Amino acid sequence: MAPPLTLARAPPGPGVITARLAPASRGAAGPRDAPPRAPLEPPRLPCVGVSDGGSAQGRAGRRLPQQGALFQARRRGRARGRRAGLEAELQQLAQHSGSPLGGPPGPPQTPIPPNAHQDLGAEAAAPTGTGLVRDGGHGHGHGDGRPPGGPALRELFQRCVPVQCRPASDEELLLVHSPSFVAKLEPPESPGPGVWGPRGAVGAALALLEPLLGGALRNGVALISPQDPQDPPQPAAVAARVAQKQLGVQRVLIVDWSPRPGRSLARIFQEDPSVLYFGAQQGREPPPSAGDGPGEGFSVELHWEQATVTDGDFAAAAFNILLPIGLQFQPQLVLVEASLEDLGGALGVSPAGFSLLTHLLSALARGRLLLLLQGGPDLGASPGGVGAVLRTLLGDPGDPLGPIAPTPSGLASIARTLSVQQRYWGCLQSFGRVL
């Protein structure tokens, strides 16, 4: 009969269980008559990779020594792998975020170049200075060459970088306007800004555009004199086209705080996916359009149905519509059109409200923000609004803002706009459930 196999603890090993053969003696009891043996204790496994850096808590409550250099190297390798995976997922989201989540594919999105992340990077030195240009109509507000407005506004003007206005050329105007419109204008060789008219209105925007995109300015304001309401020039549209055709800009955001029947910015870029248009106006007519053809989804028209719009309504529209779409679109230039009457309270928005809206838009396009303000030669009707916007652009603290809770009618208008735009912008999928 073969000797039985028993388990015993080997004396030299540090807690290692080994097997050995124990010879059976004659006359000894058989397996059935063997006395019960005490249960074996669980093995105490040795710790490997012990270092002097302290100890960690084990699963069974025991204090285990901290892992060694090999384990730390493996953990760093896994962290690098997770980081690479996250970067790949973010790149995929940036390329395919134009389609709504779980819905039909949206319109063709503007191709994002490989170096698009450089638009939002902080590696380059940030430009400084707020440019200020007048097209000639505002330079004679007092008849003695002084800038228009009161002492506080003139002090803000003196802190800005003065930019000389110039007339827009025929080639620049023809990027947007018809030949018949250009033919009836005064020639660009006219003696001064006072007779430039529409050329000066467009040229004021272009005079700021070149140093802004060249890095000489951080942002800018153009004060544009009143134009013919029946057939007005389009400074923002011409500036967008010049930036794209001559200055290497690919994506432009145009914000119109109070669209008027004569300014047809939405129709100009209705089929262009490289220009994102946002307009807010009162009334349901004309019905809002999201764009046509390849530009479908790149026209965002918000129609306020209430008579009075508050700071809270505009702030809610900015946070729930304008900023999410703008961050997904990643513009390289932001153009804002407004009238001095709007900044004076015609829209129901306070100067502090316009300061907030300007501050929010400065978060896009690395702060490349150009405001085109149109109105009469006397800024006394809207010194608070113009001053609040200038202080924001200059980097001063914003004006104190009161309660900004939106009105129920304002939320309803925002919800209707979201219902149209959610099919085009994946970033809006969660906002509809909140509102």
Side-chain angles (χ1 to χ4, degrees), residues 5 10 55 76 83 95 144 164 259 277 292 324 326 334 353 386 410:
L5 180 64
S55 61
R76 288 193 296 268
R83 179 180 177 183
Q95 294 175 355
D144 56 1
Q164 183 68 37
Y277 170 80
D292 293 328
V334 179
V386 176

Side-chain angles (χ1 to χ4, degrees), residues 112-113 115-122 250-251 330-332 364-368:
I112 299 178
N115 60 346
H117 65 279
Q118 295 178 1
D119 300 337
L120 305 178
Q250 296 176 338
R251 300 175 303 280
Q330 294 188 20
Q332 297 165 301
L364 303 173
R366 293 182 61 187
R368 293 171 177 168

Side-chain angles (χ1 to χ4, degrees), residues 127-301:
T128 59
T130 297
L132 177 66
V133 63
R134 297 185 290 271
D135 69 344
H138 297 86
H140 311 282
H142 299 276
D144 56 1
R146 287 184 299 155
L153 198 57
R154 290 198 295 270
E155 181 181 354
L156 292 174
F157 285 166
Q158 291 174 358
R159 294 174 55 190
C160 297
V161 179
V163 178
Q164 183 68 37
C165 183
R166 68 171 181 85
S169 64
D170 291 349
E171 292 77 11
E172 293 167 336
L173 292 171
L174 288 173
L175 293 174
V176 172
H177 294 282
S178 64
S180 59
F181 176 87
V182 177
K184 64 182 182 181
L185 301 180
E186 292 290 336
E189 296 81 12
S190 299
V195 295
W196 282 341
R199 289 187 186 275
V202 176
L206 299 181
L208 278 175
L209 187 66
E210 295 156 357
L212 179 67
L213 295 177
L217 295 175
R218 180 176 64 247
N219 47 49
V221 176
L223 300 178
I224 300 173
S225 57
Q227 303 296 318
D228 183 7
Q230 302 300 323
D231 194 11
Q234 302 286 352
V238 177
R241 286 296 184 233
V242 170
Q244 290 180 324
K245 300 291 185 180
Q246 302 178 10
L247 300 175
V249 172
Q250 296 176 338
R251 300 175 303 280
V252 181
L253 168 62
I254 297 180
V255 178
D256 196 352
W257 287 130
S258 59
R260 286 166 172 76
R263 297 206 303 257
S264 54
L265 280 173
R267 293 196 299 270
I268 293 175
F269 303 105
Q270 197 167 10
E271 299 183 359
D272 189 352
S274 68
V275 177
L276 174 62
Y277 170 80
F278 177 88
Q281 67 182 30
Q282 291 181 334
R284 292 194 174 188
E285 298 297 334
S289 171
D292 293 328
E296 184 178 0
F298 292 90
S299 180
V300 183
E301 298 184 14

Side-chain angles (χ1 to χ4, degrees), residues 257-259 279-286 302-310 314 346-348:
W257 287 130
S258 59
Q281 67 182 30
Q282 291 181 334
R284 292 194 174 188
E285 298 297 334
L302 173 61
H303 285 214
W304 302 114
E305 297 187 4
Q306 67 271 32
T308 303
V309 187
T310 65
F314 267 96
L347 290 180

